[in-house]
Amino acid sequence: MGSNGTILRTTDGGNNWVNQTSGTTNALFGVSFTDINHGTGVGDYGTILRTTDGGANWVSQTSGTTNALNSVSFTDANNGTAVSWYGVIIRTTDGGANWVLQRSGTGEFLYGVSFTDANNGTAVGEDGTILRTTNGGIRWFHQASGTTNFLWGVSFADANNGIAVGAEGTILRTTDGGNTWVSQISGTTQSLIGASLIGANAGATVGFLGTILHTANGGTTWVSQSSAVTILSLEDVSFSDANNGTAVGDFGTIVRTTNAGRTWVSQTSGTSNAFLGVSFTDASNGTAVGEFGTILRTTDGGNNWFPQASGTGADLWGVSFADADHGTAVGYGGTILTTTDGGSQLGKSIKRDLRSSNRGFSDGCQYWNSYGRGRHNPQNNPWR
């Protein structure tokens, strides 16, 4: 890593590194892959980066805005939407060759977006803002949320069933595409950040001070397991199916459920660094990313987590896997990491302290290809 957007890439476990140019030093806040090849990362100052070859090459795209892009959702290789401050919504139907500003009808900050197909999508943000489109954003219309609390996350399982979560324990549920949103009793006043809905009935949300809530009946009731496993804040959650889910958060916290969230079990991460993102493609294979370039990988549902060599000290804020092998993580300073082999040969455990200044590993890891640069700076992460 170096100045002026320097990127070091390796294809042989770090024996040789080749200089590449990222084209940005801006922080990246979200990433969305639709298959092993096509992915888009978004971030500060309207930054959009696109890959069509699984991350081997990233191309900067013109967003038409200098506002921070907070979230992005693609439903296929061509159709994607990103949201930003001041009600900014931009849309592409050609894989990002052209991004078009859409009329949102609001000036509120937008923090989350979820599309289930090319036409049906929902965006959420400050003051309880919920926007909905059924025609790919040609028209966005307001939906009554019934709250003025900030909404941080949104997840739809299909065009009709969705949840939105936010400040002061807010959970909103819809079964009709948002025509009606019903406030649900969360049992907490902690802010809820991440949400994952699987099908019409199963879902979970996580947030501050170890808050974990789950539902098995479409949100009619939410059950808390917070005090049972951790009091530390949780930043993200990923369900691979209705039963199996993993949440991650502060001080290396990882908690796991195999029964749709009725009970959660703490897992050993081997690090005290905060995790900011997690992605599971099935019940066994998952990856967690976080502070100081931390990447952990499991192939057995989290019974064992192994550190992987990221080659960066930059905070990693998001991760997306298309299948068990192909994944991308994004973070501070324009950092993009991609892997085509699950990130590692997991033949043996690596006994090394992730908190040390030497955060590279050469024993038992294959590689993550680094396409960005940056160093940890908490002041540049206002989102958590």
Side-chain angles (χ1 to χ4, degrees):
M1 304 309 236
S3 60
N4 301 321
T6 301
I7 305 169
L8 298 178
R9 185 188 183 196
T10 180
T11 57
D12 57 6
N15 293 320
N16 295 281
W17 293 87
V18 179
N19 284 323
Q20 296 187 326
T21 303
S22 67
T24 185
T25 57
N26 296 331
L28 299 170
F29 302 132
V31 60
S32 178
F33 268 73
T34 56
D35 56 50
I36 64 174
N37 291 314
H38 297 86
T40 298
V42 301
D44 229 350
Y45 303 107
T47 300
I48 302 179
L49 300 176
R50 175 73 169 174
T51 183
T52 58
D53 56 12
N57 295 280
W58 291 84
V59 178
S60 178
Q61 296 182 329
T62 301
S63 67
T65 181
T66 57
N67 292 335
L69 296 172
N70 298 321
S71 182
V72 61
S73 178
F74 271 75
T75 56
D76 55 51
N78 293 315
N79 292 280
T81 298
V83 298
S84 180
W85 301 344
Y86 306 111
V88 169
I89 301 177
I90 58 175
R91 172 78 172 173
T92 182
T93 57
D94 55 14
N98 296 279
W99 287 88
V100 178
L101 182 67
Q102 296 186 323
R103 182 173 294 180
S104 69
T106 185
E108 304 285 7
F109 284 23
L110 300 174
Y111 293 108
V113 61
S114 176
F115 270 74
T116 54
D117 56 50
N119 291 316
N120 293 280
T122 299
V124 300
E126 65 177 340
D127 295 329
T129 299
I130 301 179
L131 303 178
R132 177 74 173 176
T133 183
T134 57
N135 55 14
I138 294 173
R139 178 175 177 264
W140 288 88
F141 51 90
H142 283 261
Q143 295 183 323
S145 69
T147 183
T148 57
N149 290 336
F150 272 53
L151 297 175
W152 298 113
V154 59
S155 177
F156 270 75
D158 53 47
N160 291 316
N161 292 280
I163 56 174
V165 300
E168 298 181 14
T170 299
I171 303 178
L172 305 177
R173 170 72 169 160
T174 182
T175 58
D176 58 9
N179 292 322
T180 55
W181 287 91
V182 178
S183 179
Q184 300 188 316
I185 298 174
S186 68
T188 183
T189 58
Q190 299 298 329
S191 288
L192 301 172
I193 300 171
S196 181
L197 188 64
I198 304 294
N201 294 314
T205 178
V206 298
F208 290 173
L209 295 182
T211 301
I212 306 173
L213 307 175
H214 95 276
T215 182
N217 55 15
T220 302
T221 56
W222 289 86
V223 180
S224 172
Q225 282 85 30
S226 303
S227 61
V229 288
T230 183
I231 60 171
L232 298 173
S233 293
L234 298 169
E235 302 288 346
D236 198 14
V237 61
S238 176
F239 270 71
S240 59
D241 55 54
N243 291 313
N244 294 280
T246 296
V248 299
D250 288 353
F251 294 100
T253 300
I254 303 177
V255 294
R256 173 78 170 170
T257 181
T258 57
N259 57 10
R262 286 185 289 275
T263 57
W264 293 79
V265 177
S266 181
Q267 296 184 327
T268 301
S269 68
T271 180
S272 62
N273 293 337
F275 290 113
L276 305 174
V278 62
S279 177
F280 270 74
T281 55
D282 55 53
S284 297
N285 294 280
T287 298
V289 302
E291 287 183 317
F292 311 115
T294 301
I295 301 178
L296 294 188
R297 175 76 171 173
T298 182
T299 59
D300 58 9
N303 293 319
N304 295 281
W305 287 90
F306 299 94
Q308 296 185 324
S310 69
T312 181
D315 287 359
L316 300 174
W317 295 334
V319 60
S320 176
F321 269 74
D323 58 31
D325 293 322
H326 298 81
T328 295
V330 298
Y332 175 72
T335 300
I336 303 177
L337 309 176
T338 186
T339 182
T340 59
D341 62 358
S344 179
Q345 296 174 350
L346 295 175
K348 57 180 178 178
S349 175
I350 300 169
K351 306 293 186 181
R352 198 171 297 185
D353 187 357
L354 291 177
R355 291 167 292 179
S356 69
S357 60
N358 180 7
R359 297 184 178 88
F361 297 89
S362 59
D363 47 351
C365 286
Q366 198 156 354
Y367 60 85
W368 280 78
N369 293 337
S370 173
Y371 298 92
R373 61 179 292 272
R375 284 290 164 187
H376 172 65
N377 183 349
Q379 295 179 347
N380 284 288
N381 183 4
W383 311 109
R384 300 299 185 193

